[in-house]
Amino acid sequence: MAVAPKRVPLPAILLANDLLDGDVVFASEQSQGALAWTRDPGLALVANDDTAAEQLEAFAVTEFKAQHVVDAYLVDVSIENGVAVPRHYRERMKTLGPSNRPDLGKQAGDGIQAERRG
Amino acid sequence: MYRYDEFDERFVRERVAQFSDQVSRRLDGSLTEDEFKPLRLKNGVYLQLHAYMLRIAVPYGTLNGRQLRQLALIGERFDRGYGHFTTRQNLQFNWPKLRDVPEILGLLADVEMHCIQTSGNCIRNVTADHFAGVAQDEIEDPRPTAELIRQWSSLHPEFSYLPRKFKIAVTGAEADRAVTKAHDIGLRLRRHPHTHEVCYEVSVGGGLGRTPMIGKVVRDYLPKADLLAFLEAIMRVYNLEGRRDNKYKARVKILVHETGTEEFIRRVEEEFAQLDGPSINADPEEVARIAAYFAPPTYEALPAVSRTLDAMKAANPAFARWVEVNTTPHKAPGYTALTISLKPVGEAPGDATSEQMRIVADLAEQFSHDELRVTHAQNLVLPHVRQRDLFTIWQRLGEAKLASANIGLITDIISCPGLDYCALATARSIPIAQAIQHRFASDTRQRDIGELNIKISGCINACGHHHVGHIGILGLEKRGIESYQITLGGDASENAAIGEILGPGLAAEDVPDAIERIVNVYLAERNEGESFLANVRRIGLSPFKAAFQEVVHAAA
Ligand code: SF4
């Protein structure tokens, strides 16, 4: 378990599942550079270099230990129209929701609207 | 139907309390994720791609109206208004929040349901023929056996940490509608040719997944009274000798395969001979008590064929078609077993909304002695319907988009959730099912093709039973895109067989074409009245491979 897996190619974002709600959350940058989770994949912080990636990894570890999230890992992305899109289709599904139900999941704004209002 | 006694009730309630406590301890940090994960899995809570998933056991696929209505309520209050019926005859909710699970488990306990042993390396929910108790070809109702095994295996201290999960299926009929040969243990009730006593044929080591195998018969005629001792002997041999070093070789099918069937039988029989049978086998009184719960309802004395039904059919061809396709002959004259299709064209196979669940629950209460069944093919059954009520039922189902007349036909596709939900998936399966359904949506065309089972899995775990589909589809990843491998000639029946791969994997958009070409070969080559599967058996794979290659070339 302790062996760190090889890091994905950069740029990358950090995603996880919220421990209590189970939905997918993304590490994003708050004011003063602090990291926090967002439901909105559009706000995910993109790590372009090793320093930024290490910062995300460290955040994953502390947040896991703090019982906030589970299954946190880095995902390599490409930037499409200014938005980070996971390169692999599996991770893309996590930023969208079930493809047969466009009315559900992130593609339908689940959790995102509320966050924007909040 | 089986009703909980005070032990069952207390057991389930205690489990709810324990899990509530475990969730609180996870949240306050006294349990780590590594400690908590096996606990949540023991209560059916998985983490999938977008959310948690809760798997609810439907013992041998039998439900009553109140239970289904409770599931509808849970779906509405704690999920997104729908649930997914699986090939294990269970129900899965796709969006529960961990914080709500204790409350959901409480609601399930209120209607004698739970999620125990729907995950983990234990004996899982026992499945059975969905026409149990009503099929004309039945020798004996398999549900008392299934219930006995459920009670024996629940929290069995010796078998709670097996090398791997363990699935048992039971049928009591000539036709195998429970895919027993693809289970770790398959039981078939049958009569001994000389004594005429009802016995079990016991098969071990069937299973799909990475290494698909058909179960091997280890006992031709096991006396019914010896069931638990014999199962215990099998489980002991497996528990001791099953491989714990390699997850992919840990199922009993690998042990049977590596040991050889004869040697495996020898070891089981040796263990069985040493066991103190009487101390393990169920008390005949208890067996009788359980069996009494499954006594058939009191049927009305009716003529074998309803004239009301005949008149309605004559006046309404669409209804007549539905009756022809979706009903199965019943033991009791004037009755029928009705299969409600959860495969309307374009919907996810096996999904039902809370509203639909309520309608089916109402129909079960009103027209089917408050009983319904979940099939491994992801449909629902009203097992005791008077023929003369079919028209009313059909109309009500039609309003709820549940009146598709496609049972056993090409659009009655089994599909696992695949990558639209499942964290283990390598490709999507639901959209493939939908595309094929659209391609073959025409009723006349489906009717012309006749019985054809397509089964789709989104990864090698084979929850969608693709190996035993007449046409099987397996979603894989190939160079960063979804790729679909097609197999032909699988059979889930009493003549169980594993399908053979037709050729290289296809892109998602080419799958419907490939299926169409395969079907066209059949239509061109079939003899009068010959089914798809019989045709494949007779003419062999080559003509189908040739047609398949054309799709491969066109795509290349
Ligand atoms: S077959 Fe694979 S993708 Fe489908 S439900 Fe099972 S584990 Fe998930």
Side-chain angles (χ1 to χ4, degrees):
Chain A
M1 291 298 286
V3 183
K6 216 173 138 259
R7 184 183 297 153
V8 299
L10 301 180
I13 59 172
L14 175 68
L15 54 70
N17 290 83
D18 184 82
L19 172 66
L20 260 183
D21 289 349
D23 57 347
V24 181
V25 290
F26 306 86
S28 71
E29 195 164 26
Q30 305 295 98
S31 52
Q32 281 113 42
L35 292 175
W37 297 108
T38 172
R39 253 86 189 167
D40 187 348
L43 300 178
L45 173 68
V46 179
N48 287 302
D49 54 34
D50 284 344
T51 319
E54 277 158 25
Q55 196 199 355
L56 286 179
E57 281 165 348
F59 184 61
V61 171
T62 44
E63 286 296 289
F64 177 77
K65 282 196 186 140
Q67 277 73 249
H68 294 150
V69 296
V70 287
D71 210 16
Y73 57 94
L74 289 183
V75 163
D76 53 324
V77 294
S78 56
I79 307 299
E80 293 171 18
N81 303 320
V83 180
V85 177
R87 286 174 194 270
H88 196 276
Y89 61 85
R90 179 185 191 272
E91 310 309 330
R92 256 191 324 265
M93 298 289 299
K94 289 183 93 163
T95 65
L96 294 169
S99 68
N100 65 312
R101 292 294 302 261
D103 57 322
L104 297 174
K106 304 216 172 277
Q107 58 203 347
D110 271 11
I112 299 171
Q113 257 79 24
E115 205 169 84
R116 288 202 184 128
R117 276 198 304 275
Chain B
M1 216 175 132
Y2 184 73
R3 301 301 311 261
Y4 278 10
D5 61 20
E6 77 252 49
F7 297 106
D8 298 307
E9 165 81 18
R10 198 186 327 136
F11 166 49
V12 169
R13 293 283 175 198
E14 278 172 7
R15 202 34 116 65
V16 175
Q18 284 164 2
F19 189 63
S20 308
D21 181 55
Q22 286 155 358
V23 171
S24 324
R25 285 190 287 144
R26 174 71 187 100
L27 297 181
D28 71 19
S30 29
L31 286 176
T32 65
E33 182 62 14
D34 284 349
E35 289 164 335
F36 178 69
K37 190 174 166 189
L39 298 172
R40 73 162 155 77
L41 286 174
K42 278 192 178 300
N43 292 285
V45 186
Y46 287 71
L47 182 61
Q48 296 288 40
L49 284 183
H50 317 295
Y52 288 103
M53 178 268 277
L54 184 66
R55 181 179 295 156
I56 299 166
V58 179
Y60 31 89
T62 297
L63 286 170
N64 62 28
R66 186 164 158 255
Q67 290 173 321
L68 187 59
R69 204 171 283 112
Q70 189 81 329
L71 295 172
L73 176 88
I74 292 169
E76 212 165 60
R77 193 181 293 170
F78 299 101
D79 210 85
R80 309 303 298 266
Y82 70 104
H84 175 74
F85 289 99
T86 76
T87 52
R88 302 266 315 128
Q89 299 180 310
N90 289 328
L91 180 81
Q92 294 180 179
F93 282 119
N94 296 306
W95 308 91
K97 296 183 189 315
L98 182 60
R99 60 173 102 229
D100 294 332
V101 172
E103 194 176 342
I104 297 174
L105 295 183
L107 288 169
L108 289 172
D110 290 345
V111 294
E112 305 184 1
M113 295 185 82
H114 60 71
C115 303
I116 299 165
Q117 290 182 206
T118 60
S119 171
N121 295 337
C122 55
I123 299 174
R124 303 285 188 91
N125 184 33
V126 181
T127 52
D129 183 356
H130 47 262
F131 293 136
V134 303
Q136 284 185 343
D137 67 343
E138 186 174 271
I139 296 140
E140 196 174 292
D141 190 333
R143 290 171 304 161
T145 300
E147 174 57 27
L148 181 65
I149 299 173
R150 185 191 74 79
Q151 297 192 11
W152 162 79
S153 65
S154 291
L155 291 194
H156 194 302
E158 195 176 329
F159 308 134
S160 291
Y161 292 93
L162 296 168
R164 200 78 178 82
K165 59 184 164 187
F166 205 93
K167 301 175 184 173
I168 304 180
V170 198
T171 178
E174 305 269 328
D176 185 355
R177 288 172 288 260
V179 211
T180 59
K181 288 280 165 27
H183 284 74
D184 295 284
I185 292 181
L187 296 172
R188 183 160 76 94
L189 285 147
R190 64 195 302 207
R191 245 176 234 294
H192 193 284
H194 305 310
T195 64
H196 302 291
E197 186 195 352
V198 176
C199 301
Y200 296 106
E201 176 194 80
V202 184
S203 305
V204 182
L208 303 175
R210 186 173 297 256
T211 322
M213 303 251 186
I214 300 299
K216 314 288 183 301
V217 175
V218 300
R219 238 328 168 98
D220 286 307
Y221 298 97
L222 176 75
K224 275 184 73 185
D226 283 334
L227 177 68
L228 294 186
F230 197 76
L231 291 182
E232 196 135 334
I234 296 171
M235 299 310 296
R236 283 201 167 174
V237 171
Y238 171 55
N239 209 9
L240 273 174
E241 301 180 25
R243 291 184 57 171
R244 290 172 190 267
D245 60 322
N246 182 342
K247 182 176 162 188
Y248 302 121
K249 301 200 163 172
R251 296 288 289 266
V252 71
K253 62 188 173 188
I254 305 291
L255 178 66
V256 174
H257 183 71
E258 288 184 349
T259 319
T261 309
E262 270 177 38
E263 174 60 15
F264 182 81
I265 293 173
R266 197 195 59 75
R267 291 185 200 178
V268 168
E269 292 291 353
E270 189 179 67
E271 184 67 39
F272 179 62
Q274 280 175 15
L275 282 173
D276 177 15
S279 74
I280 297 162
N281 285 321
D283 177 352
E285 260 180 48
E286 175 61 9
V287 173
R289 186 187 75 92
I290 291 173
Y293 284 110
F294 299 96
T298 319
Y299 298 115
E300 271 172 53
L302 295 171
V305 180
S306 154
R307 268 192 282 151
T308 322
L309 173 66
D310 282 349
M312 289 300 186
K313 273 166 46 176
N316 194 325
F319 169 64
R321 174 74 186 141
W322 177 79
V323 172
E324 182 195 330
V325 177
N326 291 36
T327 63
T328 301
H330 197 287
K331 276 179 182 169
Y335 282 79
T336 189
L338 168 66
T339 305
I340 299 171
S341 169
L342 295 183
K343 317 291 175 65
V345 168
E347 298 295 329
D351 276 11
T353 64
S354 289
E355 197 185 335
Q356 289 175 325
M357 289 184 215
R358 282 201 184 98
I359 286 164
V360 176
D362 289 347
L363 292 173
E365 281 170 353
Q366 203 176 336
F367 297 109
S368 183
H369 290 270
D370 195 18
E371 231 192 277
L372 54 105
R373 310 280 172 78
V374 182
T375 81
H376 82 267
Q378 304 176 288
N379 293 309
L380 298 174
V381 169
L382 297 180
H384 315 286
V385 171
R386 283 185 305 213
Q387 292 173 10
R388 66 159 186 255
D389 293 330
L390 280 169
F391 190 73
T392 314
I393 297 174
W394 178 69
Q395 285 180 310
R396 301 251 298 262
L397 287 173
E399 289 160 18
K401 294 210 180 101
L402 286 173
S404 303
N406 62 354
I407 298 305
L409 303 182
I410 192 167
T411 57
D412 182 9
I413 299 173
I414 289 185
S415 169
C416 79
L419 191 63
D420 285 301
Y421 296 94
C422 177
L424 301 173
T426 41
R428 284 174 289 172
S429 28
I430 295 169
I432 301 295
Q434 292 171 317
I436 297 170
Q437 287 179 326
H438 281 299
R439 180 68 63 98
F440 292 96
S442 147
D443 273 338
T444 26
R445 195 167 179 206
Q446 292 194 52
R447 172 186 212 150
D448 182 34
I449 296 165
E451 188 183 5
L452 206 176
N453 302 159
I454 297 181
K455 305 184 197 254
I456 311 176
S457 306
C459 82
I460 201 154
N461 288 333
C463 304
H465 292 187
H466 64 276
H467 294 114
V468 291
H470 301 164
I471 299 175
I473 303 175
L474 166 63
L476 295 167
E477 172 177 353
K478 204 160 98 189
R479 284 181 236 108
I481 59 161
E482 292 160 296
S483 170
Y484 295 88
Q485 199 175 69
I486 316 276
T487 51
L488 195 65
D491 185 350
S493 78
E494 58 282 8
N495 307 310
I498 306 291
E500 285 181 58
I501 296 172
L502 274 189
L506 297 175
E509 57 272 24
D510 297 323
V511 174
D513 280 343
I515 305 299
E516 194 159 27
R517 287 194 193 235
I518 293 169
V519 169
N520 286 342
V521 172
Y522 159 65
L523 294 177
E525 299 289 329
R526 68 178 167 186
N527 289 336
E528 179 78 29
E530 187 178 48
S531 73
F532 178 82
L533 187 61
N535 181 251
V536 172
R537 292 261 161 87
R538 181 173 62 80
I539 69 175
L541 244 51
S542 317
F544 297 96
K545 273 194 178 155
F548 181 83
Q549 281 302 331
E550 288 169 26
V551 186
V552 177
H553 290 313

